[in-house]
Amino acid sequence: MEVLGVDIGGSGIKGAPVDVATGTLVKPRHRIRTPKPATPGMVADVVAELTAHFSWRGPIGCAFPAVVKGGRALTAANVDKAWIGCDVAALFSKRTSMPVTVLNDADAAGVAEMRFGAGHNETGVVFMLTLGTGIGSALFYRGQLLPNTELGHLEIRKKEAERRASDRVRKKKDLDWPAWAARVTEFLNRLEALFWPDLFIIGGGVIKKHEKFIPLLDTRTRVVPARLLNDAGIVGAALAAADWDSLRLDTKGRQ
Ligand code: BGC
């Protein structure tokens, strides 16, 4: 079965049809710059453009950078405030005339990594963390997702973690790798003290350069790069749309 996976990010909106049995992209992914302002209407237009690009007719899974319950966005840390309360699944479904499933972007990336990537066969406490415009988190125990953990907003030195250690901050402040890795380490150490995880999987755009910073991280827990690299969100969104029930979540994110 194929599903169109779409990953909505702060700088780009990426999509590709995904073979959900293998977790692979069936066609090269297509990226469209996130519109400014990234209002619901403008982003829905981009999702429709992606759908048209692939001449897609069928289910769509969408990874969205906010708390998502029942297809509805409940927060808007790095997106336009107009998203709060918006039924994202219904909006995209109406705009594309296709069935759409929506979940948090880090949760989507985690679902993909647990099924096909660095978390495969990991049964303990696993964190997927995406370091991008913000910091996204997904928490798994025995492969089961605890949805909508928002640990990028944990306070460190009186600032939200994502305002100290996201990839956007690295670029904006022109931090070198050791300086940025020290900030990421501080965040990971805090998570270790609170959750005692068995594994950290790190993803987001910066993961292409994992050899520059993962060896510099100082944690007691294993840290590995996302194996699906920056495609994890696309693949996880497609998996969720194909088989929402297997995630064993209570709330439906489908429209
Ligand atoms: C949002 C999360 C999202 C993360 C990564 C955070 O600012 O609150 O919902 O997963 O950014 O995009």
Side-chain angles (χ1 to χ4, degrees), residues 127-148:
F127 264 119
M128 168 85 208
L129 300 169
T130 59
L131 306 177
T133 306
I135 294 183
S137 63
L139 182 55
F140 295 83
Y141 176 54
R142 296 190 169 170
Q144 167 74 45
L145 171 66
L146 173 66
N148 290 309

Side-chain angles (χ1 to χ4, degrees), residues 1-57:
M1 179 190 182
E2 288 180 20
V3 174
L4 180 63
V6 176
D7 189 4
I8 297 177
S11 56
I13 299 178
K14 300 149 271 180
V18 176
D19 177 341
V20 294
T22 58
T24 50
L25 307 193
V26 179
K27 292 198 175 129
R29 73 185 200 160
H30 187 61
R31 182 181 193 274
I32 298 173
R33 198 181 280 268
T34 304
K36 281 197 174 95
T39 53
M42 304 266 275
V43 172
D45 286 347
V46 173
V47 173
E49 202 181 323
L50 275 174
T51 310
H53 172 86
F54 292 107
S55 309
W56 185 256
R57 297 190 62 76

Side-chain angles (χ1 to χ4, degrees), residues 74-230:
L74 299 182
T75 61
N78 288 308
V79 289
D80 198 275
K81 300 297 172 223
W83 285 101
I84 297 178
C86 175
D87 190 334
V88 185
L91 173 71
F92 293 172
S93 179
K94 190 158 178 246
R95 187 70 182 76
T96 59
S97 309
M98 295 297 148
V100 177
T101 304
V102 182
L103 75 168
N104 170 266
D105 56 354
D107 285 350
V111 163
E113 286 294 326
M114 294 304 283
R115 182 94 51 99
F116 295 114
H120 189 63
N121 286 333
E122 293 283 347
T123 54
V125 175
V126 180
F127 264 119
M128 168 85 208
L129 300 169
T130 59
L131 306 177
T133 306
I135 294 183
S137 63
L139 182 55
F140 295 83
Y141 176 54
R142 296 190 169 170
Q144 167 74 45
L145 171 66
L146 173 66
N148 290 309
T149 56
E150 285 282 311
L151 293 161
H153 300 289
L154 206 65
E155 215 176 280
I156 295 180
R157 296 180 192 263
K158 300 205 164 64
K159 261 196 175 172
E160 287 184 290
E162 71 174 21
R163 303 208 177 274
R164 289 185 43 80
S166 65
D167 192 41
R168 173 167 62 183
V169 171
R170 178 183 68 83
K171 291 184 188 143
K172 210 168 111 197
K173 291 199 176 288
D174 199 19
L175 298 174
D176 63 14
W177 292 107
W180 185 62
R183 290 175 175 224
V184 176
T185 290
E186 216 171 12
F187 173 54
L188 299 183
N189 289 163
R190 179 71 73 79
L191 294 181
E192 289 184 302
L194 296 174
F195 294 92
W196 291 83
D198 299 295
L199 178 69
F200 285 120
I201 305 172
I202 311 284
V206 69
I207 209 59
K208 295 187 285 288
K209 300 174 199 148
H210 62 86
E211 68 295 331
K212 301 239 190 251
F213 71 95
I214 288 197
L216 304 178
L217 299 173
D218 184 12
T219 59
R220 72 164 72 82
T221 310
R222 275 185 300 143
V223 184
V224 295
R227 211 174 291 158
L228 301 166
L229 298 177
N230 208 16

